[in-house]
Amino acid sequence: RPCASLAGRDKRNNAAPNHAPSPCVPPPCAKMSMVQLELDDQDKKSFQEMQQSIGQAQQELSMISGKIRVREQEGKLAALTLAELQSMDESTTAYHQVGKMFVQKPMGELKQQLSTKVEGSQKEHAVLTEKKAHVEGALTKLNEDFQEFIKGHLVQQAAASS
């Protein structure tokens, strides 16, 4: 639903200003309710450790996902280049880029290097995918434990106030 507010508009001709309009503020009913937990020192420490563990797991999952994307891209590039070179004669002059310069290399050596890179990327992709599945499982378990911790302390608080 668009904002009905004219805040930030030019009052004379009701035109939008040159800068971006202010974002819409969600209605009060869209705000999340706050939950209060009664925690002793040991519970506070456990709560902080859980939050920290979840944050680390999310960060590791993000890092692994990024590495997987990079390995996929490297593997695809090497496979496409290798496919292009397969149709070429072994006597064809080939150059390999090293930084900003190009070095002449025998075609067979270049093909071997690319096929090794494709295989290495596939193996590393498989290892990273397995590691990602492991980290996702650990993150799910941490989230479940965290929710259970919260629910356990909410029940105690509700019982204490009755």
Side-chain angles (χ1 to χ4, degrees):
R1 182 182 102 163
C3 282
S5 171
L6 294 177
R9 292 189 173 267
D10 188 350
K11 306 278 189 264
R12 285 174 270 136
N13 60 7
N14 200 24
N18 290 338
H19 59 82
S22 61
C24 295
V25 177
C29 62
K31 291 182 181 178
M32 295 181 66
S33 62
M34 297 295 283
V35 176
Q36 289 186 350
L37 301 174
E38 191 170 319
L39 304 172
D40 60 10
D41 289 339
Q42 183 63 32
D43 289 339
K44 285 180 184 179
K45 186 176 180 183
S46 297
F47 183 77
Q48 289 174 342
E49 287 173 358
M50 284 183 191
Q51 284 183 320
Q52 189 176 23
S53 296
I54 289 172
Q56 287 173 346
Q58 288 172 337
Q59 186 177 15
E60 187 175 355
L61 187 62
S62 174
M63 186 176 67
I64 291 170
S65 296
K67 285 182 179 181
I68 287 174
R69 279 192 301 276
V70 168
R71 295 304 169 258
E72 283 177 346
Q73 189 174 3
E74 286 176 353
K76 284 180 183 178
L77 180 62
L80 286 171
T81 305
L82 184 60
E84 288 291 321
L85 294 180
Q86 292 296 354
S87 64
M88 295 186 178
D89 205 30
E90 289 293 323
S91 62
T92 305
T93 305
Y95 296 91
H96 176 71
Q97 186 174 358
V98 179
K100 292 184 178 183
M101 71 178 177
F102 292 88
V103 178
Q104 186 174 0
K105 245 186 185 176
M107 184 63 76
E109 189 178 321
L110 198 55
K111 287 178 184 179
Q112 179 60 38
Q113 182 182 3
L114 286 169
S115 64
T116 303
K117 188 167 189 168
V118 169
E119 290 171 11
S121 292
Q122 290 172 345
K123 287 178 184 176
E124 198 167 342
H125 182 271
V127 168
L128 287 170
T129 302
E130 186 177 313
K131 188 174 182 180
K132 181 180 177 183
H134 174 72
V135 172
E136 284 174 338
L139 181 60
T140 302
K141 176 78 171 111
L142 284 170
N143 279 326
E144 289 170 359
D145 291 347
F146 186 74
Q147 291 301 321
E148 191 174 304
F149 179 85
I150 297 294
K151 287 178 184 175
H153 285 81
L154 283 176
V155 170
Q156 290 174 3
Q157 182 185 9
S161 64
S162 297

